Amino acid sequence: MKNITENWRPYYESSGPMKPEDNTGCPWFHLELTSHCNLRCTLCPAGNMDGYSLTKGQMSLDFVERAFDKIQTEHPHPAIRCYGYSEPFLYPWLPEIIASARRRGFYFELSSNLNYVNRLEEVMAAGPDYLLIGFSGWTQATYAKSHRGGDIEKVLANMIKVADLRSKYPIRVLANYHIYNDNKGDEMEQAKTFIKNCGFEWCPSPARTISLESTVAYLRHREKADTGSVPLIGTCANGFDWDAILPPASQNYLEQIPRLTFSP
């Protein structure tokens, strides 16, 4: 395993720490097994869905197998990213999905907020290439600002469970600490010490807004506040402004933007 130097480079960059050492011809597929998440994080679409029509559901095992069949015929060595806007541990057959991907020779990435774990030992025994844990504070007061509905004590307790199981299932574990303007300093150092003691890789990165719809709504909000009007910015042939039908950015979203190191 390569030595990972500490830096502020976002983990999702192609040159970041989770890129396979030999990634030649390795396409990436995001796999949303379920549309559910147990948190309502401020800067994620799952936490800013007021005003949208939502459909909840989860993939069947048969559907995933057929998707894997299609991927395998087109790309013999793909990487499956089992995360996005949902929480994979809410999916009841996660170990079976990981095992299926690994039997096919797929590279399999797993990411979780780790507030809830289900069949944890079976998940680790199935052999994902790594588990990424996202969190944003050492104290509940700080963590809850961005990870709404989350409990940092549950996260830390589940991290310890993962660390204990790694003696039997030595999978790679990376802790992605989301850096805000107000969670650096002593709080970040305490989190880093805990992560190192667990034997995980410390991978901090600047927090960012990953909800494109909320970002567009926020920029329109700023434009109107600064100029008094919002120009048409997303028109179709008849001049209709598609962006204008987006629900406005939530108050909670607006309050979190000043915390970001890099604003939209």
PDB file of all heavy atoms in Angstrom, residues 54-88:
ATOM      1  N   LEU A  54     -40.552  13.168  -4.302  1.00  0.00           N
ATOM      2  CA  LEU A  54     -39.556  12.125  -4.058  1.00  0.00           C
ATOM      3  C   LEU A  54     -40.154  10.730  -4.195  1.00  0.00           C
ATOM      4  O   LEU A  54     -41.318  10.503  -3.881  1.00  0.00           O
ATOM      5  CB  LEU A  54     -38.968  12.279  -2.651  1.00  0.00           C
ATOM      6  CG  LEU A  54     -38.356  13.636  -2.310  1.00  0.00           C
ATOM      7  CD1 LEU A  54     -37.864  13.633  -0.873  1.00  0.00           C
ATOM      8  CD2 LEU A  54     -37.211  13.952  -3.247  1.00  0.00           C
ATOM      9  N   THR A  55     -39.346   9.809  -4.654  1.00  0.00           N
ATOM     10  CA  THR A  55     -39.711   8.397  -4.714  1.00  0.00           C
ATOM     11  C   THR A  55     -38.682   7.604  -3.919  1.00  0.00           C
ATOM     12  O   THR A  55     -37.489   7.756  -4.127  1.00  0.00           O
ATOM     13  CB  THR A  55     -39.728   7.885  -6.164  1.00  0.00           C
ATOM     14  OG1 THR A  55     -40.683   8.636  -6.914  1.00  0.00           O
ATOM     15  CG2 THR A  55     -40.112   6.419  -6.210  1.00  0.00           C
ATOM     16  N   LYS A  56     -39.155   6.781  -2.995  1.00  0.00           N
ATOM     17  CA  LYS A  56     -38.261   5.974  -2.168  1.00  0.00           C
ATOM     18  C   LYS A  56     -38.284   4.528  -2.653  1.00  0.00           C
ATOM     19  O   LYS A  56     -39.323   4.010  -3.050  1.00  0.00           O
ATOM     20  CB  LYS A  56     -38.689   6.023  -0.700  1.00  0.00           C
ATOM     21  CG  LYS A  56     -38.614   7.409  -0.071  1.00  0.00           C
ATOM     22  CD  LYS A  56     -37.183   7.873   0.100  1.00  0.00           C
ATOM     23  CE  LYS A  56     -37.107   9.177   0.889  1.00  0.00           C
ATOM     24  NZ  LYS A  56     -35.722   9.642   1.045  1.00  0.00           N
ATOM     25  N   GLY A  57     -37.129   3.885  -2.608  1.00  0.00           N
ATOM     26  CA  GLY A  57     -37.088   2.492  -3.012  1.00  0.00           C
ATOM     27  C   GLY A  57     -35.703   1.911  -2.853  1.00  0.00           C
ATOM     28  O   GLY A  57     -34.769   2.584  -2.391  1.00  0.00           O
ATOM     29  N   GLN A  58     -35.547   0.652  -3.222  1.00  0.00           N
ATOM     30  CA  GLN A  58     -34.245   0.004  -3.185  1.00  0.00           C
ATOM     31  C   GLN A  58     -34.165  -1.032  -4.295  1.00  0.00           C
ATOM     32  O   GLN A  58     -35.183  -1.545  -4.776  1.00  0.00           O
ATOM     33  CB  GLN A  58     -33.987  -0.652  -1.829  1.00  0.00           C
ATOM     34  CG  GLN A  58     -34.935  -1.784  -1.469  1.00  0.00           C
ATOM     35  CD  GLN A  58     -34.703  -2.301  -0.068  1.00  0.00           C
ATOM     36  OE1 GLN A  58     -34.097  -1.638   0.760  1.00  0.00           O
ATOM     37  NE2 GLN A  58     -35.195  -3.497   0.205  1.00  0.00           N
ATOM     38  N   MET A  59     -32.958  -1.321  -4.749  1.00  0.00           N
ATOM     39  CA  MET A  59     -32.754  -2.282  -5.826  1.00  0.00           C
ATOM     40  C   MET A  59     -32.926  -3.698  -5.299  1.00  0.00           C
ATOM     41  O   MET A  59     -32.524  -4.000  -4.172  1.00  0.00           O
ATOM     42  CB  MET A  59     -31.343  -2.139  -6.399  1.00  0.00           C
ATOM     43  CG  MET A  59     -31.074  -0.841  -7.103  1.00  0.00           C
ATOM     44  SD  MET A  59     -29.397  -0.868  -7.826  1.00  0.00           S
ATOM     45  CE  MET A  59     -29.319   0.799  -8.500  1.00  0.00           C
ATOM     46  N   SER A  60     -33.493  -4.555  -6.133  1.00  0.00           N
ATOM     47  CA  SER A  60     -33.556  -5.971  -5.787  1.00  0.00           C
ATOM     48  C   SER A  60     -32.197  -6.606  -6.073  1.00  0.00           C
ATOM     49  O   SER A  60     -31.395  -6.077  -6.857  1.00  0.00           O
ATOM     50  CB  SER A  60     -34.635  -6.677  -6.613  1.00  0.00           C
ATOM     51  OG  SER A  60     -34.259  -6.714  -7.991  1.00  0.00           O
ATOM     52  N   LEU A  61     -31.942  -7.748  -5.439  1.00  0.00           N
ATOM     53  CA  LEU A  61     -30.693  -8.470  -5.704  1.00  0.00           C
ATOM     54  C   LEU A  61     -30.594  -8.854  -7.180  1.00  0.00           C
ATOM     55  O   LEU A  61     -29.525  -8.763  -7.786  1.00  0.00           O
ATOM     56  CB  LEU A  61     -30.613  -9.721  -4.832  1.00  0.00           C
ATOM     57  CG  LEU A  61     -30.211  -9.505  -3.369  1.00  0.00           C
ATOM     58  CD1 LEU A  61     -30.388 -10.803  -2.586  1.00  0.00           C
ATOM     59  CD2 LEU A  61     -28.793  -9.007  -3.259  1.00  0.00           C
ATOM     60  N   ASP A  62     -31.705  -9.266  -7.751  1.00  0.00           N
ATOM     61  CA  ASP A  62     -31.697  -9.664  -9.158  1.00  0.00           C
ATOM     62  C   ASP A  62     -31.352  -8.488 -10.061  1.00  0.00           C
ATOM     63  O   ASP A  62     -30.588  -8.642 -11.025  1.00  0.00           O
ATOM     64  CB  ASP A  62     -33.068 -10.228  -9.532  1.00  0.00           C
ATOM     65  CG  ASP A  62     -33.155 -10.602 -11.008  1.00  0.00           C
ATOM     66  OD1 ASP A  62     -32.450 -11.539 -11.415  1.00  0.00           O
ATOM     67  OD2 ASP A  62     -33.911  -9.933 -11.742  1.00  0.00           O
ATOM     68  N   PHE A  63     -31.895  -7.318  -9.732  1.00  0.00           N
ATOM     69  CA  PHE A  63     -31.608  -6.136 -10.562  1.00  0.00           C
ATOM     70  C   PHE A  63     -30.120  -5.785 -10.513  1.00  0.00           C
ATOM     71  O   PHE A  63     -29.505  -5.474 -11.536  1.00  0.00           O
ATOM     72  CB  PHE A  63     -32.436  -4.942 -10.085  1.00  0.00           C
ATOM     73  CG  PHE A  63     -32.274  -3.719 -10.940  1.00  0.00           C
ATOM     74  CD1 PHE A  63     -33.091  -3.507 -12.040  1.00  0.00           C
ATOM     75  CD2 PHE A  63     -31.293  -2.775 -10.649  1.00  0.00           C
ATOM     76  CE1 PHE A  63     -32.931  -2.374 -12.829  1.00  0.00           C
ATOM     77  CE2 PHE A  63     -31.118  -1.658 -11.443  1.00  0.00           C
ATOM     78  CZ  PHE A  63     -31.941  -1.460 -12.543  1.00  0.00           C
ATOM     79  N   VAL A  64     -29.529  -5.837  -9.320  1.00  0.00           N
ATOM     80  CA  VAL A  64     -28.107  -5.526  -9.185  1.00  0.00           C
ATOM     81  C   VAL A  64     -27.268  -6.537  -9.964  1.00  0.00           C
ATOM     82  O   VAL A  64     -26.305  -6.171 -10.648  1.00  0.00           O
ATOM     83  CB  VAL A  64     -27.680  -5.497  -7.707  1.00  0.00           C
ATOM     84  CG1 VAL A  64     -26.178  -5.238  -7.595  1.00  0.00           C
ATOM     85  CG2 VAL A  64     -28.438  -4.417  -6.952  1.00  0.00           C
ATOM     86  N   GLU A  65     -27.633  -7.824  -9.881  1.00  0.00           N
ATOM     87  CA  GLU A  65     -26.886  -8.851 -10.615  1.00  0.00           C
ATOM     88  C   GLU A  65     -26.944  -8.592 -12.115  1.00  0.00           C
ATOM     89  O   GLU A  65     -25.945  -8.739 -12.836  1.00  0.00           O
ATOM     90  CB  GLU A  65     -27.442 -10.240 -10.297  1.00  0.00           C
ATOM     91  CG  GLU A  65     -27.156 -10.726  -8.882  1.00  0.00           C
ATOM     92  CD  GLU A  65     -25.677 -11.026  -8.650  1.00  0.00           C
ATOM     93  OE1 GLU A  65     -24.901 -11.074  -9.628  1.00  0.00           O
ATOM     94  OE2 GLU A  65     -25.297 -11.210  -7.479  1.00  0.00           O
ATOM     95  N   ARG A  66     -28.106  -8.186 -12.615  1.00  0.00           N
ATOM     96  CA  ARG A  66     -28.229  -7.901 -14.039  1.00  0.00           C
ATOM     97  C   ARG A  66     -27.419  -6.663 -14.421  1.00  0.00           C
ATOM     98  O   ARG A  66     -26.836  -6.604 -15.511  1.00  0.00           O
ATOM     99  CB  ARG A  66     -29.702  -7.722 -14.413  1.00  0.00           C
ATOM    100  CG  ARG A  66     -30.465  -9.044 -14.452  1.00  0.00           C
ATOM    101  CD  ARG A  66     -31.870  -8.904 -14.968  1.00  0.00           C
ATOM    102  NE  ARG A  66     -32.747  -8.275 -13.999  1.00  0.00           N
ATOM    103  CZ  ARG A  66     -33.500  -7.211 -14.256  1.00  0.00           C
ATOM    104  NH1 ARG A  66     -33.452  -6.635 -15.436  1.00  0.00           N
ATOM    105  NH2 ARG A  66     -34.284  -6.714 -13.332  1.00  0.00           N
ATOM    106  N   ALA A  67     -27.384  -5.680 -13.509  1.00  0.00           N
ATOM    107  CA  ALA A  67     -26.560  -4.493 -13.760  1.00  0.00           C
ATOM    108  C   ALA A  67     -25.081  -4.863 -13.803  1.00  0.00           C
ATOM    109  O   ALA A  67     -24.328  -4.395 -14.675  1.00  0.00           O
ATOM    110  CB  ALA A  67     -26.813  -3.451 -12.672  1.00  0.00           C
ATOM    111  N   PHE A  68     -24.658  -5.735 -12.873  1.00  0.00           N
ATOM    112  CA  PHE A  68     -23.270  -6.199 -12.872  1.00  0.00           C
ATOM    113  C   PHE A  68     -22.945  -6.983 -14.150  1.00  0.00           C
ATOM    114  O   PHE A  68     -21.844  -6.862 -14.700  1.00  0.00           O
ATOM    115  CB  PHE A  68     -23.012  -7.079 -11.646  1.00  0.00           C
ATOM    116  CG  PHE A  68     -22.808  -6.315 -10.358  1.00  0.00           C
ATOM    117  CD1 PHE A  68     -22.672  -6.986  -9.146  1.00  0.00           C
ATOM    118  CD2 PHE A  68     -22.722  -4.936 -10.351  1.00  0.00           C
ATOM    119  CE1 PHE A  68     -22.470  -6.304  -7.955  1.00  0.00           C
ATOM    120  CE2 PHE A  68     -22.530  -4.228  -9.161  1.00  0.00           C
ATOM    121  CZ  PHE A  68     -22.406  -4.922  -7.971  1.00  0.00           C
ATOM    122  N   ASP A  69     -23.910  -7.787 -14.617  1.00  0.00           N
ATOM    123  CA  ASP A  69     -23.699  -8.533 -15.862  1.00  0.00           C
ATOM    124  C   ASP A  69     -23.415  -7.579 -17.015  1.00  0.00           C
ATOM    125  O   ASP A  69     -22.494  -7.798 -17.822  1.00  0.00           O
ATOM    126  CB  ASP A  69     -24.934  -9.383 -16.199  1.00  0.00           C
ATOM    127  CG  ASP A  69     -25.094 -10.594 -15.293  1.00  0.00           C
ATOM    128  OD1 ASP A  69     -24.109 -10.973 -14.636  1.00  0.00           O
ATOM    129  OD2 ASP A  69     -26.216 -11.145 -15.244  1.00  0.00           O
ATOM    130  N   LYS A  70     -24.205  -6.534 -17.104  1.00  0.00           N
ATOM    131  CA  LYS A  70     -24.043  -5.571 -18.203  1.00  0.00           C
ATOM    132  C   LYS A  70     -22.709  -4.836 -18.081  1.00  0.00           C
ATOM    133  O   LYS A  70     -21.988  -4.666 -19.071  1.00  0.00           O
ATOM    134  CB  LYS A  70     -25.201  -4.570 -18.201  1.00  0.00           C
ATOM    135  CG  LYS A  70     -25.083  -3.489 -19.274  1.00  0.00           C
ATOM    136  CD  LYS A  70     -26.335  -2.655 -19.367  1.00  0.00           C
ATOM    137  CE  LYS A  70     -26.189  -1.464 -20.279  1.00  0.00           C
ATOM    138  NZ  LYS A  70     -25.601  -1.737 -21.581  1.00  0.00           N
ATOM    139  N   ILE A  71     -22.381  -4.405 -16.865  1.00  0.00           N
ATOM    140  CA  ILE A  71     -21.111  -3.709 -16.659  1.00  0.00           C
ATOM    141  C   ILE A  71     -19.941  -4.607 -17.056  1.00  0.00           C
ATOM    142  O   ILE A  71     -19.003  -4.179 -17.730  1.00  0.00           O
ATOM    143  CB  ILE A  71     -20.976  -3.266 -15.187  1.00  0.00           C
ATOM    144  CG1 ILE A  71     -21.977  -2.146 -14.870  1.00  0.00           C
ATOM    145  CG2 ILE A  71     -19.550  -2.794 -14.888  1.00  0.00           C
ATOM    146  CD1 ILE A  71     -22.062  -1.786 -13.394  1.00  0.00           C
ATOM    147  N   GLN A  72     -20.022  -5.881 -16.651  1.00  0.00           N
ATOM    148  CA  GLN A  72     -18.908  -6.804 -16.891  1.00  0.00           C
ATOM    149  C   GLN A  72     -18.696  -7.062 -18.384  1.00  0.00           C
ATOM    150  O   GLN A  72     -17.556  -7.233 -18.831  1.00  0.00           O
ATOM    151  CB  GLN A  72     -19.162  -8.118 -16.163  1.00  0.00           C
ATOM    152  CG  GLN A  72     -17.958  -9.033 -16.107  1.00  0.00           C
ATOM    153  CD  GLN A  72     -18.165 -10.175 -15.127  1.00  0.00           C
ATOM    154  OE1 GLN A  72     -19.286 -10.663 -14.961  1.00  0.00           O
ATOM    155  NE2 GLN A  72     -17.100 -10.585 -14.467  1.00  0.00           N
ATOM    156  N   THR A  73     -19.771  -7.070 -19.164  1.00  0.00           N
ATOM    157  CA  THR A  73     -19.615  -7.290 -20.600  1.00  0.00           C
ATOM    158  C   THR A  73     -18.963  -6.102 -21.290  1.00  0.00           C
ATOM    159  O   THR A  73     -18.331  -6.257 -22.333  1.00  0.00           O
ATOM    160  CB  THR A  73     -20.977  -7.569 -21.261  1.00  0.00           C
ATOM    161  OG1 THR A  73     -21.830  -6.433 -21.082  1.00  0.00           O
ATOM    162  CG2 THR A  73     -21.621  -8.813 -20.688  1.00  0.00           C
ATOM    163  N   GLU A  74     -19.108  -4.925 -20.706  1.00  0.00           N
ATOM    164  CA  GLU A  74     -18.580  -3.713 -21.330  1.00  0.00           C
ATOM    165  C   GLU A  74     -17.239  -3.279 -20.735  1.00  0.00           C
ATOM    166  O   GLU A  74     -16.432  -2.644 -21.408  1.00  0.00           O
ATOM    167  CB  GLU A  74     -19.596  -2.576 -21.196  1.00  0.00           C
ATOM    168  CG  GLU A  74     -20.923  -2.888 -21.877  1.00  0.00           C
ATOM    169  CD  GLU A  74     -21.976  -1.822 -21.631  1.00  0.00           C
ATOM    170  OE1 GLU A  74     -21.679  -0.860 -20.889  1.00  0.00           O
ATOM    171  OE2 GLU A  74     -23.090  -1.948 -22.172  1.00  0.00           O
ATOM    172  N   HIS A  75     -17.026  -3.618 -19.451  1.00  0.00           N
ATOM    173  CA  HIS A  75     -15.801  -3.202 -18.753  1.00  0.00           C
ATOM    174  C   HIS A  75     -15.360  -4.347 -17.840  1.00  0.00           C
ATOM    175  O   HIS A  75     -15.952  -4.555 -16.779  1.00  0.00           O
ATOM    176  CB  HIS A  75     -16.043  -1.940 -17.922  1.00  0.00           C
ATOM    177  CG  HIS A  75     -16.595  -0.799 -18.708  1.00  0.00           C
ATOM    178  ND1 HIS A  75     -15.829  -0.010 -19.534  1.00  0.00           N
ATOM    179  CD2 HIS A  75     -17.862  -0.322 -18.805  1.00  0.00           C
ATOM    180  CE1 HIS A  75     -16.584   0.907 -20.091  1.00  0.00           C
ATOM    181  NE2 HIS A  75     -17.824   0.740 -19.682  1.00  0.00           N
ATOM    182  N   PRO A  76     -14.342  -5.095 -18.193  1.00  0.00           N
ATOM    183  CA  PRO A  76     -13.958  -6.273 -17.399  1.00  0.00           C
ATOM    184  C   PRO A  76     -13.410  -5.945 -16.011  1.00  0.00           C
ATOM    185  O   PRO A  76     -13.488  -6.779 -15.113  1.00  0.00           O
ATOM    186  CB  PRO A  76     -12.887  -6.940 -18.261  1.00  0.00           C
ATOM    187  CG  PRO A  76     -12.372  -5.860 -19.150  1.00  0.00           C
ATOM    188  CD  PRO A  76     -13.530  -4.957 -19.410  1.00  0.00           C
ATOM    189  N   HIS A  77     -12.874  -4.730 -15.806  1.00  0.00           N
ATOM    190  CA  HIS A  77     -12.288  -4.399 -14.499  1.00  0.00           C
ATOM    191  C   HIS A  77     -12.773  -3.027 -14.023  1.00  0.00           C
ATOM    192  O   HIS A  77     -11.985  -2.074 -13.911  1.00  0.00           O
ATOM    193  CB  HIS A  77     -10.762  -4.428 -14.579  1.00  0.00           C
ATOM    194  CG  HIS A  77     -10.203  -5.742 -15.022  1.00  0.00           C
ATOM    195  ND1 HIS A  77     -10.293  -6.880 -14.249  1.00  0.00           N
ATOM    196  CD2 HIS A  77      -9.570  -6.116 -16.157  1.00  0.00           C
ATOM    197  CE1 HIS A  77      -9.731  -7.888 -14.885  1.00  0.00           C
ATOM    198  NE2 HIS A  77      -9.283  -7.456 -16.046  1.00  0.00           N
ATOM    199  N   PRO A  78     -14.042  -2.910 -13.706  1.00  0.00           N
ATOM    200  CA  PRO A  78     -14.570  -1.612 -13.261  1.00  0.00           C
ATOM    201  C   PRO A  78     -14.416  -1.407 -11.761  1.00  0.00           C
ATOM    202  O   PRO A  78     -14.091  -2.338 -11.009  1.00  0.00           O
ATOM    203  CB  PRO A  78     -16.052  -1.729 -13.625  1.00  0.00           C
ATOM    204  CG  PRO A  78     -16.349  -3.174 -13.374  1.00  0.00           C
ATOM    205  CD  PRO A  78     -15.101  -3.926 -13.801  1.00  0.00           C
ATOM    206  N   ALA A  79     -14.652  -0.188 -11.324  1.00  0.00           N
ATOM    207  CA  ALA A  79     -14.711   0.146  -9.902  1.00  0.00           C
ATOM    208  C   ALA A  79     -16.139   0.538  -9.566  1.00  0.00           C
ATOM    209  O   ALA A  79     -16.734   1.368 -10.247  1.00  0.00           O
ATOM    210  CB  ALA A  79     -13.756   1.289  -9.584  1.00  0.00           C
ATOM    211  N   ILE A  80     -16.692  -0.082  -8.541  1.00  0.00           N
ATOM    212  CA  ILE A  80     -18.054   0.210  -8.100  1.00  0.00           C
ATOM    213  C   ILE A  80     -17.970   1.092  -6.862  1.00  0.00           C
ATOM    214  O   ILE A  80     -17.387   0.708  -5.853  1.00  0.00           O
ATOM    215  CB  ILE A  80     -18.830  -1.082  -7.769  1.00  0.00           C
ATOM    216  CG1 ILE A  80     -18.797  -2.058  -8.956  1.00  0.00           C
ATOM    217  CG2 ILE A  80     -20.253  -0.748  -7.364  1.00  0.00           C
ATOM    218  CD1 ILE A  80     -19.445  -1.545 -10.212  1.00  0.00           C
ATOM    219  N   ARG A  81     -18.549   2.273  -6.950  1.00  0.00           N
ATOM    220  CA  ARG A  81     -18.597   3.182  -5.802  1.00  0.00           C
ATOM    221  C   ARG A  81     -19.986   3.083  -5.179  1.00  0.00           C
ATOM    222  O   ARG A  81     -20.953   3.607  -5.709  1.00  0.00           O
ATOM    223  CB  ARG A  81     -18.335   4.616  -6.259  1.00  0.00           C
ATOM    224  CG  ARG A  81     -16.886   4.899  -6.581  1.00  0.00           C
ATOM    225  CD  ARG A  81     -16.709   6.320  -7.072  1.00  0.00           C
ATOM    226  NE  ARG A  81     -15.330   6.755  -6.946  1.00  0.00           N
ATOM    227  CZ  ARG A  81     -14.885   7.927  -7.396  1.00  0.00           C
ATOM    228  NH1 ARG A  81     -15.692   8.758  -8.010  1.00  0.00           N
ATOM    229  NH2 ARG A  81     -13.616   8.264  -7.227  1.00  0.00           N
ATOM    230  N   CYS A  82     -20.068   2.403  -4.067  1.00  0.00           N
ATOM    231  CA  CYS A  82     -21.366   2.165  -3.428  1.00  0.00           C
ATOM    232  C   CYS A  82     -21.690   3.312  -2.471  1.00  0.00           C
ATOM    233  O   CYS A  82     -21.708   3.140  -1.253  1.00  0.00           O
ATOM    234  CB  CYS A  82     -21.351   0.823  -2.701  1.00  0.00           C
ATOM    235  SG  CYS A  82     -22.965   0.344  -2.092  1.00  0.00           S
ATOM    236  N   TYR A  83     -21.913   4.463  -3.033  1.00  0.00           N
ATOM    237  CA  TYR A  83     -22.301   5.622  -2.234  1.00  0.00           C
ATOM    238  C   TYR A  83     -22.697   6.752  -3.173  1.00  0.00           C
ATOM    239  O   TYR A  83     -22.504   6.681  -4.376  1.00  0.00           O
ATOM    240  CB  TYR A  83     -21.173   6.078  -1.309  1.00  0.00           C
ATOM    241  CG  TYR A  83     -19.857   6.401  -1.997  1.00  0.00           C
ATOM    242  CD1 TYR A  83     -19.582   7.674  -2.450  1.00  0.00           C
ATOM    243  CD2 TYR A  83     -18.883   5.421  -2.163  1.00  0.00           C
ATOM    244  CE1 TYR A  83     -18.369   7.972  -3.063  1.00  0.00           C
ATOM    245  CE2 TYR A  83     -17.674   5.700  -2.773  1.00  0.00           C
ATOM    246  CZ  TYR A  83     -17.427   6.983  -3.215  1.00  0.00           C
ATOM    247  OH  TYR A  83     -16.224   7.264  -3.826  1.00  0.00           O
ATOM    248  N   GLY A  84     -23.259   7.774  -2.596  1.00  0.00           N
ATOM    249  CA  GLY A  84     -23.720   8.935  -3.353  1.00  0.00           C
ATOM    250  C   GLY A  84     -24.555   9.776  -2.415  1.00  0.00           C
ATOM    251  O   GLY A  84     -24.030  10.449  -1.541  1.00  0.00           O
ATOM    252  N   TYR A  85     -25.872   9.691  -2.577  1.00  0.00           N
ATOM    253  CA  TYR A  85     -26.786  10.444  -1.721  1.00  0.00           C
ATOM    254  C   TYR A  85     -27.535   9.539  -0.751  1.00  0.00           C
ATOM    255  O   TYR A  85     -28.516   9.948  -0.145  1.00  0.00           O
ATOM    256  CB  TYR A  85     -27.795  11.218  -2.569  1.00  0.00           C
ATOM    257  CG  TYR A  85     -27.168  12.169  -3.559  1.00  0.00           C
ATOM    258  CD1 TYR A  85     -27.766  12.429  -4.785  1.00  0.00           C
ATOM    259  CD2 TYR A  85     -25.968  12.812  -3.272  1.00  0.00           C
ATOM    260  CE1 TYR A  85     -27.188  13.311  -5.691  1.00  0.00           C
ATOM    261  CE2 TYR A  85     -25.378  13.688  -4.172  1.00  0.00           C
ATOM    262  CZ  TYR A  85     -26.006  13.931  -5.388  1.00  0.00           C
ATOM    263  OH  TYR A  85     -25.438  14.801  -6.292  1.00  0.00           O
ATOM    264  N   SER A  86     -27.091   8.302  -0.611  1.00  0.00           N
ATOM    265  CA  SER A  86     -27.783   7.342   0.252  1.00  0.00           C
ATOM    266  C   SER A  86     -26.781   6.693   1.202  1.00  0.00           C
ATOM    267  O   SER A  86     -25.572   6.848   1.063  1.00  0.00           O
ATOM    268  CB  SER A  86     -28.480   6.277  -0.594  1.00  0.00           C
ATOM    269  OG  SER A  86     -27.522   5.564  -1.371  1.00  0.00           O
ATOM    270  N   GLU A  87     -27.317   5.948   2.168  1.00  0.00           N
ATOM    271  CA  GLU A  87     -26.490   5.255   3.157  1.00  0.00           C
ATOM    272  C   GLU A  87     -26.512   3.753   2.870  1.00  0.00           C
ATOM    273  O   GLU A  87     -27.554   3.097   3.030  1.00  0.00           O
ATOM    274  CB  GLU A  87     -27.013   5.535   4.566  1.00  0.00           C
ATOM    275  CG  GLU A  87     -26.392   4.678   5.663  1.00  0.00           C
ATOM    276  CD  GLU A  87     -24.875   4.689   5.665  1.00  0.00           C
ATOM    277  OE1 GLU A  87     -24.284   5.797   5.650  1.00  0.00           O
ATOM    278  OE2 GLU A  87     -24.272   3.600   5.664  1.00  0.00           O
ATOM    279  N   PRO A  88     -25.402   3.166   2.423  1.00  0.00           N
ATOM    280  CA  PRO A  88     -25.414   1.755   2.016  1.00  0.00           C
ATOM    281  C   PRO A  88     -25.740   0.768   3.131  1.00  0.00           C
ATOM    282  O   PRO A  88     -26.267  -0.319   2.854  1.00  0.00           O
ATOM    283  CB  PRO A  88     -24.003   1.533   1.467  1.00  0.00           C
ATOM    284  CG  PRO A  88     -23.175   2.644   2.005  1.00  0.00           C
ATOM    285  CD  PRO A  88     -24.100   3.806   2.165  1.00  0.00           C
TER     286      PRO A  88
END
